[in-house]
Amino acid sequence: MYIDNVSSTTILEKTDPNPPKSWRQWLIGRPLQTADAPHQTISKTIGLAVFASDALSSTGYATQEIMMTLALAGAGMGAMSYVGPISIAIILLMVIVSISYQQTIHAYPGGGGAYIVARDNLGELPAQTAGAALLTDYILTVAVSISSGVAQIISAFPLLEPYKVIMAVVMVLMIMLINLRGVKESGRVFAIPTYFFVVCMFITVIVGLVRYFTGSLGTVVNPPEFDFATTMGSVTPFLLLHAFASGTSALTGIEAISNGITAFREPRSKNAGITLVWMSAILGTLFLGISFLAGTIAAVPSESETIISQLARTALGGQGLPYLLTIGATAVILLMAANTAFADFPRLGALHAGDGFLPRQLTFRGSRLVYSWGIAALGIIASLLIIVFQASVTRLIPLYAIGVFLSFTLSQTGMARRWWKSGHLKIDEKIVEPGSTIVHERHWMVKMMINGFGAVCTFIVMLVFAVTKFLDGAWIIILLVPVMVSVFFTIHHHYKSLAQKLSLENYSSRPSTVRNRVILLVSGVHRGTLNALDYARTLGPDVTALHVSVDHIEAEKVRDKWNTYGEGVRLVILDSPYRLLVEPVLGYIEKINAIRQPNEMMTIVVPQFIPSHWWENLLHNQTALILRFALLFKPNIVIVEVPYQV
Amino acid sequence: MYIDNVSSTTILEKTDPNPPKSWRQWLIGRPLQTADAPHQTISKTIGLAVFASDALSSTGYATQEIMMTLALAGAGMGAMSYVGPISIAIILLMVIVSISYQQTIHAYPGGGGAYIVARDNLGELPAQTAGAALLTDYILTVAVSISSGVAQIISAFPLLEPYKVIMAVVMVLMIMLINLRGVKESGRVFAIPTYFFVVCMFITVIVGLVRYFTGSLGTVVNPPEFDFATTMGSVTPFLLLHAFASGTSALTGIEAISNGITAFREPRSKNAGITLVWMSAILGTLFLGISFLAGTIAAVPSESETIISQLARTALGGQGLPYLLTIGATAVILLMAANTAFADFPRLGALHAGDGFLPRQLTFRGSRLVYSWGIAALGIIASLLIIVFQASVTRLIPLYAIGVFLSFTLSQTGMARRWWKSGHLKIDEKIVEPGSTIVHERHWMVKMMINGFGAVCTFIVMLVFAVTKFLDGAWIIILLVPVMVSVFFTIHHHYKSLAQKLSLENYSSRPSTVRNRVILLVSGVHRGTLNALDYARTLGPDVTALHVSVDHIEAEKVRDKWNTYGEGVRLVILDSPYRLLVEPVLGYIEKINAIRQPNEMMTIVVPQFIPSHWWENLLHNQTALILRFALLFKPNIVIVEVPYQV
């Protein structure tokens, strides 16, 4: 009993605590009560598995995409020596971003995604832009990760190549289902394979490095053919920037933890912050190791065998069990990465919806306390994307990462602005924002410079990405984000103007309804009609029966029977020379409507025969349905279907 | 004013005589008043065009299908000498059928299709069987005629071959549209080409015969290749019967006039009878002429050039203007033939529906006084059939004609039975049947023998057809007709039991409703809710407001606001720990329902917000819709959506 001062007119009832069972329960588990929610949080160890898999898994394709860009430009395999320096530049960028986000996590213990930070500090437009960018990016995370995961599997089992699209789609739907069951269980499901991947990759890299330094590593045996026709070019600054842009996909997912702080156990910020440090360290080490070794063994970027596969079989000595375990672990973590997006996309969607920028349904938590609508939407859109791009990582990658860097930029700018405000507060002053409260901070200037530097760096990277990859597909995102933002604002306008129109402010002198005019439609006089007549008479004293006559003989019959059974209620017969049914009724209502007094209601009662089987509806007119649509937009007219079951 | 003794409680209103204009009017013409109906009849000359085109047009393919059957069996071109004798046998059969139908037309001036004759004289099952057989056959008439028409066009313009299916479908839809405009106009549209075809064909046949007898005819130059692989066989009795069965397609359509008697001007029967004689005479002459000449010129049955085309270019001396005119006329009359089916199928459908064996919508006449539903159904099903059979006459023909002969048999049997009854009546006695009245007839025995003989002949032909063409596709119809008949009886059972349940017989002691319990669903307290509350209070004094709480803070707000604005109406708050909306409401209703007194009604009032744009509905829950479905089958519960327009 949460409402303690129940007024005399209020009754509080508890509904049955045992919800009904159904096929959905079998599929996604038993329903959880709202009161169960706070317990659904996770430890650092599981948090790393849930939120870091996206970032870590990008080692599965980031190196490959740098090499692919260099190779596609036809710069020759000599250009592969740039892979190392490019990777180092990317890791530097990662360090900058990680430090920036560390500050965000501590400033926003309630969850500090780019959306919230931008909303609190920069305003609605930047916030919606950041949100739109991130939402597109989460979708691409699913599409890219799953496609890369399938590519790993195909590297080991080339016979599966024709089935790659269908495999990818099935995997997306499987992960969707797991997420509909709820975050805690999916965290547990994913913890073991994530750590298994980390161990496998470290073994591969360490063995590779040891063999390199002992001189026994050599190069790839039977490397795949480079399967793209290219024109011969040379290494230009543009090409290097292009390759760098491809590699920045390694940074996607690094923001996941700051969005999901509330999922961590208390103390949330500290646990989340430590997890972020661990994640960055592992990611940086593995990415650098892979990039270095890939160059050393002269791996060839290809759609038929991944760089990871070439590295693993070279370092681990052929396609034995160690190779298979490593490839398996890589494939699995890529699938897990999609899970990160399934954790964050619905949460961000719910934030947008809560602020009235997306359909409110996205804020509803399903029977398992997860945002079911968001999860389902992500699964479906990502599947479509995979089908359109035929599960090709190289074709998907130009759409990826630009959104992330846009949101990085907005988020860091917002944080910088926040420190600026903080610095200008007196010791006791505070500014209360929806996301967090700003108080005076001692080192605000240093913190502002850190976030400011992060903002500048990520902004430059975003520009580089947009320019170098514009024609490859980045234009789609550059076009899509503004469209999404304007849709968000249209939705927002709708909710805002609706709330205004429904508002009870300045609502005092309400003239009450004086009269309810009831019109009963009569197609023939039978038990169903008399049942409806009974009902119509309970609605008020002013009842008129209305019959549309397309057949004079039929009309005579109705009149005669009505005289017997109509209980003295007035019957109006409308002659319909064109055999129309709905139009004469509408005309009559229009006429009555014109002479109606203010606040007089009109109720149209339609006897609705409910057959025992759905197909039997095909054997009857659906007059009530047509009337409902025709009268939907007329004020003060209500249509009542009185069901008559046989 | 057709109701002269208007009672005190009855008001008769005439609706606006000018119906609203719309896109449909542009497509199918201005609406016609019911009173216009009797004028929509046709003369003998137009009647021949409308009802005879089916029968006459079968000369376009009947000879070809006889030859095709002989050729497919691999009996060699020598077997073609049997084409003549087979054709003579078919014409004899035609004479028998025509004489039989002549008697039907005079006995049934109100329309004497197989359905009515079987219904009046044999009972419901034979009638439904005859109807089902005819309905399938009308569909095939459309498919076969249009396919053959397209084949003629392709004979002249072989380049169009790849487009034959799409051409055929477009033609079906065009004819459908013409028929939706109404029978009189379509009659006029079709009269000229029908007579043009008759003239063209007679010229071709006469020129051919003259040249044959003067010895200048010769054989086909460059005949088409026979394009089917066959094994060599010999001429067996089975083969001859098979070929005969193929040729009986010439008789399809001969029953059209007897179905459509009411479309003729008075004296109907006489006019219809004369038209039938003319039709049979023209059909017989042309068919025999074509069959004779086709053998003489050594024409080759083929999918790439029709027999008519080979005959026309041989008789008329090459592919000049006379040839093109003849082929054009043949193509056009075949398209007209489809029109016969469009005149008869909807009329037969309306008969079935009027007797309660098909959905009642088929009896409604549209704005142009035609049975729009039947016309549309025929157009769509025939189009699908053409697509499935790829517009091939040879593949469609085994499904054709068996239905016609089944209905012939039932119709003649019914007529024989009728004469038998007539013979056993006294001079002044009469039996009133729905279709016609039986009185004593002088020559009843002769008439009975004529119809009896017809019945036996058509029955044998039907058996021959079923056996020889069973594997070619006749099995589909043999399977389909019983299925259709059982569907008809299922529908009939539905209407009959419904009428019984709705009947007012034994309906006297009706306890009247004592009370209307009103439940108002409240998701939040706003102008829309208060509008609905106003309405709910007009329905009766017993109003309860119901709020489902998924959020305690929200529920508090609702309670507080209700205390201010709720006008003292009782508010029940249902706690929903699983965040469900509909289920708690259903549970509450269930509970109230259990303690309800007999004849107490329950009304659920749902405030329904009506947005200005349809897409805005996506931004709101459709609770009312879900509730409606959930409560549809519960007796004495009415759902009212009170619209609130913003």
Side-chain angles (χ1 to χ4, degrees):
Chain A
M1 285 289 167
Y2 57 93
I3 298 177
D4 27 29
N5 60 337
V6 174
S7 78
S8 60
T9 56
T10 310
I11 299 161
L12 180 66
E13 300 215 11
K14 204 103 182 143
T15 53
D16 190 358
N18 293 316
K21 290 184 184 238
S22 72
W23 60 270
R24 288 212 311 206
Q25 210 174 117
W26 174 83
L27 206 60
I28 63 169
R30 68 169 185 84
L32 298 175
Q33 295 209 5
T34 311
D36 294 343
H39 311 301
Q40 289 293 84
T41 56
I42 51 183
S43 67
K44 285 197 292 293
T45 337
I46 289 182
L48 189 66
V50 170
F51 293 110
S53 53
D54 180 9
L56 295 184
S57 71
S58 46
T59 54
Y61 49 81
T63 303
Q64 172 156 351
E65 293 305 321
I66 297 173
M67 295 172 82
M68 187 68 96
T69 306
L70 291 172
L72 273 176
M77 286 302 148
M80 292 306 157
S81 58
Y82 291 97
V83 174
I86 290 172
S87 298
I88 290 171
I90 289 167
I91 284 173
L92 277 178
L93 184 64
M94 191 192 76
V95 171
I96 294 166
V97 171
S98 293
I99 293 171
S100 288
Y101 264 102
Q102 198 64 254
Q103 298 197 154
T104 309
I105 286 172
H106 285 275
Y108 281 86
Y115 177 74
I116 289 177
V117 174
R119 186 189 66 187
D120 281 6
N121 300 296
L122 301 175
E124 268 179 358
L125 183 63
Q128 295 307 318
T129 309
L134 274 177
L135 287 174
T136 57
D137 230 73
Y138 288 140
I139 297 166
L140 279 156
T141 296
V142 175
V144 168
S145 303
I146 296 285
S147 298
S148 177
V150 170
Q152 308 292 350
I153 296 171
I154 286 166
S155 299
F157 307 100
L159 284 176
L160 293 174
E161 209 281 330
Y163 311 106
K164 69 176 182 180
V165 175
I166 185 90
M167 278 166 71
V169 170
V170 167
M171 283 167 182
V172 170
L173 298 179
M174 224 176 59
I175 296 175
M176 183 177 92
L177 205 66
I178 291 169
N179 274 276
L180 287 171
R181 293 187 73 98
V183 69
K184 192 173 180 189
E185 282 187 21
S186 61
R188 235 187 285 157
V189 167
F190 289 159
I192 298 167
T194 302
Y195 288 110
F196 184 66
F197 166 76
V198 172
V199 170
C200 283
M201 275 327 274
F202 268 111
I203 290 174
T204 305
V205 169
I206 289 167
V207 169
L209 288 175
V210 168
R211 288 185 60 192
Y212 172 71
F213 287 114
T214 58
S216 69
L217 186 61
T219 57
V220 187
V221 183
N222 292 326
E225 296 271 323
F226 182 68
D227 36 22
F228 292 92
T230 56
T231 51
M232 207 57 191
S234 60
V235 179
T236 60
F238 182 85
L239 177 60
L240 293 180
L241 286 174
H242 196 175
F244 170 79
S246 297
T248 54
S249 59
L251 267 72
T252 56
I254 213 158
E255 80 293 350
I257 290 177
S258 69
N259 287 327
I261 303 171
T262 48
F264 282 88
R265 289 215 182 112
E266 295 287 0
R268 289 175 184 172
S269 287
K270 201 181 147 219
N271 284 333
I274 293 169
T275 311
L276 177 60
V277 171
W278 271 103
M279 182 174 86
S280 303
I282 297 170
L283 171 58
T285 316
L286 285 182
F287 178 51
L288 201 60
I290 292 166
S291 288
F292 174 74
L293 286 172
T296 308
I297 62 169
V300 176
S302 154
E303 289 257 334
S304 60
E305 187 182 2
T306 62
I307 294 291
I308 297 291
S309 170
Q310 295 175 50
L311 172 59
R313 67 182 165 92
T314 307
L316 303 176
Q319 298 187 300
L321 188 63
Y323 165 81
L324 282 177
L325 286 178
T326 305
I327 288 299
T330 311
V332 171
I333 194 150
L334 280 158
L335 309 192
M336 313 276 123
N339 190 58
T340 308
F342 273 99
D344 269 358
F345 179 95
R347 215 174 254 139
L348 181 56
L351 276 176
H352 277 272
D355 291 346
F357 286 92
L358 271 178
R360 216 154 269 176
Q361 289 91 322
L362 292 172
T363 65
F364 298 161
R365 283 185 293 173
S367 64
R368 295 289 287 180
L369 281 170
V370 295
Y371 299 110
S372 321
W373 283 84
I375 292 171
L378 175 58
I380 291 163
I381 302 173
S383 298
L384 292 178
L385 207 62
I386 286 173
I387 293 166
V388 169
F389 284 85
Q390 290 292 299
S392 160
V393 176
T394 302
R395 286 167 65 191
L396 281 165
I397 215 91
L399 281 69
Y400 198 30
I402 186 164
V404 163
F405 280 94
L406 177 53
S407 77
F408 281 169
T409 307
L410 289 165
S411 161
Q412 311 308 343
T413 310
M415 284 305 292
R417 180 102 197 279
R418 188 181 195 277
W419 301 126
W420 172 262
K421 283 195 251 175
S422 157
H424 289 72
L425 286 176
K426 300 237 167 62
I427 302 294
D428 306 333
E429 273 185 320
K430 60 179 179 180
I431 303 172
V432 180
E433 304 270 10
S436 77
T437 303
I438 309 178
V439 293
H440 180 81
E441 299 250 358
R442 286 238 315 266
H443 304 297
W444 66 271
M445 193 108 59
V446 178
K447 290 179 171 176
M448 185 179 78
M449 280 168 66
I450 290 172
N451 281 128
F453 183 65
V456 171
C457 290
T458 50
F459 181 68
I460 291 171
V461 172
M462 187 189 72
L463 285 186
V464 167
F465 199 102
V467 171
T468 57
K469 291 195 168 280
F470 188 82
L471 292 176
D472 298 341
W475 65 269
I476 298 175
I477 303 298
I478 292 169
L479 211 72
L480 189 64
V481 169
V483 169
M484 285 173 73
V485 170
S486 57
V487 168
F488 290 174
F489 275 95
T490 309
I491 291 173
H492 191 58
H493 174 77
H494 166 80
Y495 281 126
K496 243 169 72 181
S497 79
L498 177 65
Q500 218 162 29
K501 280 171 189 154
L502 293 179
S503 163
L504 292 174
E505 277 179 45
N506 311 319
Y507 182 78
S508 49
S509 62
R510 182 158 58 98
S512 67
T513 301
V514 288
R515 196 176 166 206
N516 188 5
R517 189 191 278 268
V518 181
I519 293 171
L520 170 66
L521 295 192
V522 175
S523 61
V525 183
H526 49 64
R527 281 173 196 245
T529 317
L530 298 185
N531 180 51
L533 174 63
D534 263 5
Y535 180 79
R537 283 163 66 90
T538 70
L539 301 186
D542 184 0
V543 180
T544 306
L546 193 63
H547 174 70
V548 178
S549 155
V550 293
D551 179 343
H552 295 183
I553 299 154
E554 198 58 43
E556 282 269 20
K557 274 194 208 157
V558 167
R559 195 179 51 79
D560 287 347
K561 278 194 177 175
W562 195 257
N563 285 339
T564 312
Y565 294 102
E567 299 178 14
V569 165
R570 176 175 56 236
L571 172 68
V572 173
I573 295 178
L574 298 176
D575 191 21
S576 175
Y578 297 103
R579 299 164 306 286
L580 299 166
L581 286 169
V582 172
E583 289 79 355
V585 174
L586 291 180
Y588 181 80
I589 289 170
E590 206 61 71
K591 227 172 62 186
I592 299 284
N593 216 6
I595 57 162
R596 195 169 58 170
Q597 288 163 15
N599 296 304
E600 188 178 311
M601 296 290 293
M602 197 190 298
T603 303
I604 321 289
V605 177
V606 188
Q608 176 82 332
F609 152 71
I610 307 293
S612 359
H613 308 98
W614 67 265
W615 60 264
E616 292 175 342
N617 275 316
L618 300 176
L619 305 175
H620 299 273
N621 288 320
Q622 304 302 323
T623 316
L625 206 68
I626 299 167
L627 268 182
R628 175 177 300 280
F629 275 105
L631 293 174
L632 209 57
F633 294 96
K634 296 218 190 302
N636 295 325
I637 294 179
V638 174
I639 299 167
V640 181
E641 287 158 41
V642 180
Y644 185 73
Q645 287 89 354
V646 289
Chain B
M1 286 291 168
Y2 57 93
I3 297 176
D4 28 28
N5 60 336
V6 173
S7 77
S8 61
T9 57
T10 309
I11 298 161
L12 179 67
E13 301 217 10
K14 202 100 183 147
T15 53
D16 190 358
N18 293 316
K21 289 180 184 240
S22 70
W23 60 269
R24 290 209 312 205
Q25 210 174 117
W26 174 83
L27 206 61
I28 63 169
R30 67 167 186 86
L32 298 175
Q33 295 209 7
T34 311
D36 294 344
H39 311 300
Q40 289 292 85
T41 56
I42 52 183
S43 68
K44 285 198 293 293
T45 336
I46 289 182
L48 188 65
V50 170
F51 293 110
S53 52
D54 179 9
L56 295 183
S57 72
S58 47
T59 55
Y61 50 82
T63 304
Q64 171 156 352
E65 293 306 320
I66 298 173
M67 297 173 81
M68 187 69 96
T69 307
L70 291 171
L72 272 176
M77 287 302 149
M80 293 304 157
S81 58
Y82 290 98
V83 173
I86 288 172
S87 299
I88 291 170
I90 289 168
I91 285 172
L92 278 179
L93 184 64
M94 191 192 75
V95 171
I96 295 165
V97 171
S98 295
I99 293 171
S100 288
Y101 265 101
Q102 198 63 254
Q103 297 197 154
T104 309
I105 287 172
H106 286 274
Y108 283 85
Y115 177 73
I116 289 176
V117 174
R119 186 189 63 187
D120 282 5
N121 300 295
L122 300 175
E124 269 180 358
L125 184 61
Q128 295 308 317
T129 309
L134 274 177
L135 287 174
T136 57
D137 230 71
Y138 288 140
I139 297 167
L140 279 155
T141 298
V142 176
V144 168
S145 304
I146 297 284
S147 299
S148 177
V150 170
Q152 309 292 352
I153 295 170
I154 286 167
S155 299
F157 306 100
L159 283 176
L160 293 174
E161 209 281 330
Y163 311 105
K164 69 177 182 180
V165 175
I166 185 91
M167 278 166 73
V169 170
V170 168
M171 283 167 183
V172 170
L173 299 180
M174 225 175 58
I175 296 175
M176 181 177 92
L177 206 64
I178 291 168
N179 274 276
L180 287 172
R181 293 188 71 97
V183 70
K184 192 175 180 186
E185 282 188 18
S186 61
R188 234 186 286 157
V189 168
F190 290 158
I192 298 167
T194 302
Y195 287 109
F196 184 65
F197 165 77
V198 171
V199 171
C200 283
M201 275 326 276
F202 269 109
I203 291 174
T204 305
V205 169
I206 290 167
V207 170
L209 288 175
V210 168
R211 290 186 59 191
Y212 171 72
F213 286 114
T214 58
S216 70
L217 186 61
T219 57
V220 186
V221 182
N222 292 327
E225 296 270 323
F226 182 71
D227 37 20
F228 293 92
T230 56
T231 52
M232 208 57 191
S234 59
V235 179
T236 60
F238 182 86
L239 177 61
L240 292 180
L241 286 174
H242 195 175
F244 169 80
S246 296
T248 54
S249 59
L251 266 72
T252 55
I254 213 156
E255 81 292 350
I257 290 176
S258 69
N259 286 326
I261 303 171
T262 48
F264 281 88
R265 289 213 183 113
E266 295 286 1
R268 288 176 185 171
S269 288
K270 203 182 144 215
N271 284 332
I274 294 169
T275 311
L276 176 60
V277 171
W278 271 102
M279 183 174 87
S280 303
I282 297 171
L283 171 59
T285 316
L286 285 182
F287 178 51
L288 203 58
I290 292 166
S291 287
F292 174 75
L293 287 171
T296 309
I297 63 168
V300 175
S302 154
E303 289 258 332
S304 60
E305 187 180 4
T306 62
I307 294 291
I308 297 291
S309 169
Q310 296 174 49
L311 171 59
R313 66 182 166 91
T314 307
L316 303 175
Q319 297 186 301
L321 188 64
Y323 163 81
L324 282 178
L325 287 177
T326 306
I327 288 299
T330 311
V332 171
I333 194 151
L334 280 158
L335 309 193
M336 313 276 123
N339 190 57
T340 309
F342 273 100
D344 269 357
F345 180 94
R347 214 173 255 139
L348 181 56
L351 277 176
H352 277 272
D355 290 345
F357 287 92
L358 270 178
R360 214 154 270 174
Q361 288 91 322
L362 292 171
T363 65
F364 298 160
R365 283 185 292 172
S367 64
R368 296 288 288 179
L369 280 169
V370 296
Y371 300 110
S372 321
W373 283 84
I375 292 171
L378 175 58
I380 290 163
I381 301 172
S383 298
L384 290 178
L385 208 61
I386 286 173
I387 292 167
V388 169
F389 284 85
Q390 290 290 299
S392 160
V393 176
T394 303
R395 287 166 65 192
L396 281 164
I397 215 91
L399 281 70
Y400 199 29
I402 185 163
V404 164
F405 280 94
L406 177 52
S407 76
F408 282 170
T409 307
L410 289 165
S411 161
Q412 311 307 345
T413 310
M415 285 305 293
R417 180 101 196 279
R418 188 179 195 278
W419 300 126
W420 173 263
K421 283 196 249 173
S422 158
H424 289 73
L425 287 175
K426 301 237 167 63
I427 303 293
D428 306 332
E429 271 185 321
K430 60 178 179 182
I431 303 173
V432 180
E433 303 270 10
S436 77
T437 304
I438 309 180
V439 292
H440 179 81
E441 300 252 357
R442 286 239 314 267
H443 306 295
W444 68 269
M445 193 109 58
V446 178
K447 290 181 172 175
M448 186 180 78
M449 281 167 65
I450 291 173
N451 282 128
F453 182 65
V456 171
C457 291
T458 51
F459 181 68
I460 292 170
V461 171
M462 187 189 72
L463 284 186
V464 166
F465 199 103
V467 171
T468 57
K469 292 196 169 278
F470 188 82
L471 292 176
D472 298 341
W475 65 269
I476 297 175
I477 304 298
I478 293 169
L479 211 73
L480 188 63
V481 168
V483 169
M484 283 172 73
V485 170
S486 57
V487 169
F488 292 173
F489 274 95
T490 308
I491 291 173
H492 191 58
H493 173 77
H494 165 79
Y495 282 126
K496 244 169 69 182
S497 79
L498 177 64
Q500 219 163 28
K501 281 172 189 154
L502 293 179
S503 163
L504 292 174
E505 277 180 44
N506 310 319
Y507 181 79
S508 50
S509 64
R510 182 159 59 98
S512 68
T513 300
V514 289
R515 194 177 168 207
N516 189 4
R517 188 191 281 266
V518 181
I519 294 171
L520 170 66
L521 295 193
V522 175
S523 61
V525 183
H526 49 65
R527 281 172 195 247
T529 317
L530 298 186
N531 181 51
L533 173 63
D534 264 4
Y535 181 79
R537 284 163 67 90
T538 71
L539 301 186
D542 184 1
V543 180
T544 306
L546 193 63
H547 174 71
V548 177
S549 156
V550 292
D551 179 342
H552 295 184
I553 299 154
E554 198 57 43
E556 282 269 21
K557 274 193 206 158
V558 167
R559 194 177 53 78
D560 287 348
K561 279 193 175 176
W562 195 257
N563 284 340
T564 312
Y565 295 102
E567 299 178 13
V569 165
R570 177 175 57 236
L571 172 68
V572 173
I573 295 178
L574 297 177
D575 191 21
S576 176
Y578 297 103
R579 297 164 307 285
L580 300 165
L581 286 169
V582 172
E583 289 80 355
V585 174
L586 292 179
Y588 181 80
I589 289 170
E590 207 61 72
K591 227 172 63 185
I592 299 283
N593 216 7
I595 57 162
R596 195 169 60 170
Q597 287 162 15
N599 296 303
E600 187 178 310
M601 295 290 293
M602 197 190 298
T603 303
I604 321 288
V605 177
V606 188
Q608 177 82 331
F609 152 70
I610 307 293
S612 359
H613 308 97
W614 67 266
W615 58 263
E616 293 174 341
N617 276 315
L618 300 176
L619 304 177
H620 298 272
N621 289 320
Q622 304 300 324
T623 316
L625 207 69
I626 299 167
L627 267 182
R628 176 175 299 279
F629 276 105
L631 293 175
L632 208 58
F633 293 96
K634 295 216 190 304
N636 295 326
I637 293 179
V638 175
I639 299 167
V640 181
E641 287 157 42
V642 180
Y644 186 73
Q645 289 88 354
V646 289

